[in-house]
């Protein structure tokens, strides 16, 4: 309901529902019916549309912001997940970056602290499809940013798709710093076909490849295979990664580094 007691417009109501799901993690249909004074059918239509736009995942009896094998969480939700681990991983990744390099940074929330820290390391050229990374580095005089255009996708806060991938293939970088939604059976995965298309192109544009992935991604499922872990020169995770999974990766020949705790 609006402040003056009237019903919100469908657009305003859906924005409010999306904000609530991203803030609370999940909601029920009954809660939304009571809050907005609309029918269950209207709430179902709202959730269907928000799911289509990538804001949430519709589940039995409500909606959630949590990822699944088919659904990647919205960028706002992902940015608040595992913040300490992401900082630790990116601090370790920054130690591998050498001033003067051209580096690829993808649109993952994991890589954002890495992008922020580059300016303190020296002069770099950053190739990225992430609008957040572009904005983070826009005013850094030591950083040249090459933004990869294409179709903007709000749930990723990035440019994705065929045009973005084609632009990535036309460039050559020293190192690609990439993340993924899931790691299982010696491979990394993502829920979005468009994202996999772009990430593969970004990996192909770099001489060296580094995977940044926190321990919560291991054992998780996503639909589309991105790459075997052995195709990365380095995989950086955090100390929360269980010992059996560490041993499994090393047995596969994966070069694994665990970022020290803050």
């Amino acid at each position: 309901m609006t402040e003056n007691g009237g019903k919100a417009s469908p657009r305003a109501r859906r924005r409010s529902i999306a904000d609530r799901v991203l803030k609370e993690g999940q909601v029920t249909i009954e809660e939304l019916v009571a809050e907005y004074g609309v029918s269950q059918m209207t709430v179902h239509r709202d959730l269907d549309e928000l799911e289509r736009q990538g804001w949430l995942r519709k589940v039995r009896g409500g909606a959630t912001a949590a990822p699944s094998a088919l659904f990647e969480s919205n960028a706002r939700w992902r940015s608040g997940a595992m913040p300490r681990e992401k900082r630790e991983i990116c601090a370790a990744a920054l130690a591998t970056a050498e001033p003067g390099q051209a580096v690829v940074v993808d649109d993952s929330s994991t890589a954002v602290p890495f992008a922020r820290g580059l300016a303190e390391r020296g002069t770099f050229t950053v190739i990225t499809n992430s609008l957040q990374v572009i904005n983070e580095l826009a005013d850094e005089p030591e950083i040249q940013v090459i933004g990869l255009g294409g179709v903007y996708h709000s749930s990723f806060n990035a440019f994705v798709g065929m045009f973005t991938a084609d632009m990535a293939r036309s460039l050559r970088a020293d190192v690609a710093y990439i993340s993924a939604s899931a790691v299982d059976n010696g491979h990394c995965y993502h829920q979005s076909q468009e994202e996999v298309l772009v990430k593969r192109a970004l990996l192909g544009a770099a001489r060296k490849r580094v995977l940044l992935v926190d321990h919560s991604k291991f054992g998780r499922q996503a639909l589309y295979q991105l790459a075997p872990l052995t195709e990365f020169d380095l995989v950086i995770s955090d100390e929360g990664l269980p010992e059996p999974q560490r041993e499994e990766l090393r047995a596969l020949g994966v070069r694994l580094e665990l970022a020290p705790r803050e």
Side-chain angles (χ1 to χ4, degrees):
M1 303 287 283
T2 60
E3 292 182 0
N4 61 11
K7 289 185 178 180
S9 69
R11 181 177 180 181
R13 185 179 62 247
R14 289 168 184 168
R15 172 63 68 177
S16 178
I17 291 172
D19 287 341
R20 179 171 174 179
V21 174
L22 292 175
K23 179 180 179 181
E24 299 179 10
Q26 62 182 26
V27 295
T28 67
I29 289 173
E30 287 75 12
E31 289 171 342
L32 298 177
V33 167
E35 179 171 348
Y36 296 101
V38 295
S39 68
Q40 285 195 5
M41 186 64 69
T42 296
V43 170
H44 275 287
R45 285 197 296 265
D46 288 343
L47 296 181
D48 286 339
E49 178 59 21
L50 290 169
E51 183 175 52
R52 185 190 69 79
Q53 296 175 11
W55 287 100
L56 50 78
R57 176 166 58 96
K58 194 175 178 185
V59 295
R60 184 177 179 85
T64 178
S68 72
L70 297 175
F71 173 78
E72 168 65 314
S73 299
N74 184 274
R76 281 172 53 190
W77 171 262
R78 287 183 284 119
S79 66
M82 297 287 176
R84 177 179 58 81
E85 288 83 356
K86 289 174 182 176
R87 290 195 304 271
E88 293 167 352
I89 289 168
C90 287
L94 283 166
T96 71
E98 300 178 7
Q101 287 182 328
V103 299
V104 168
V105 181
D106 74 351
D107 60 14
S108 64
S109 60
T110 302
V112 171
F114 172 81
R116 290 184 185 135
L118 280 175
E120 299 177 3
R121 295 276 299 167
T123 301
F124 290 90
T125 296
V126 175
I127 301 165
T128 185
N129 65 317
S130 167
L131 185 57
Q132 182 174 357
V133 170
I134 292 171
N135 289 332
E136 291 277 355
L137 299 177
D139 296 324
E140 296 293 344
E142 297 298 313
I143 306 294
Q144 179 186 40
V145 180
I146 299 177
L148 303 177
V151 177
Y152 176 75
H153 201 304
S154 60
S155 65
F156 302 131
N157 195 19
F159 300 94
V160 297
M162 179 182 65
F163 297 117
T164 313
D166 285 345
M167 292 180 68
R169 294 188 191 100
S170 70
L171 299 169
R172 191 65 177 161
D174 295 293
V175 191
Y177 295 90
I178 302 288
S179 190
S181 299
V183 177
D184 191 40
N185 196 31
H187 293 75
C188 55
Y189 298 81
H190 200 280
Q191 298 91 339
S192 166
Q193 207 171 165
E194 290 181 318
E195 278 280 300
V196 167
L197 178 67
V198 172
K199 287 176 184 285
R200 285 178 177 172
L202 292 173
L203 290 172
R207 179 176 54 83
K208 182 179 178 182
R209 305 165 174 181
V210 179
L211 180 67
L212 312 177
V213 59
D214 70 74
H215 72 272
S216 71
K217 306 289 182 65
F218 287 80
R220 185 180 289 179
Q221 291 185 329
L223 187 60
Y224 300 103
Q225 185 184 119
L226 172 57
L229 298 186
T230 51
E231 287 193 4
F232 292 89
D233 297 273
L234 178 64
V235 175
I236 305 178
S237 190
D238 60 89
E239 291 286 352
L241 186 65
E243 186 61 38
Q245 290 176 321
R246 303 181 191 187
E247 294 176 358
E248 179 183 349
L249 295 181
R250 288 167 176 149
L252 291 171
V254 175
R255 184 186 170 200
L256 175 66
E257 178 179 340
L258 298 176
R261 292 191 184 276
E262 291 182 343

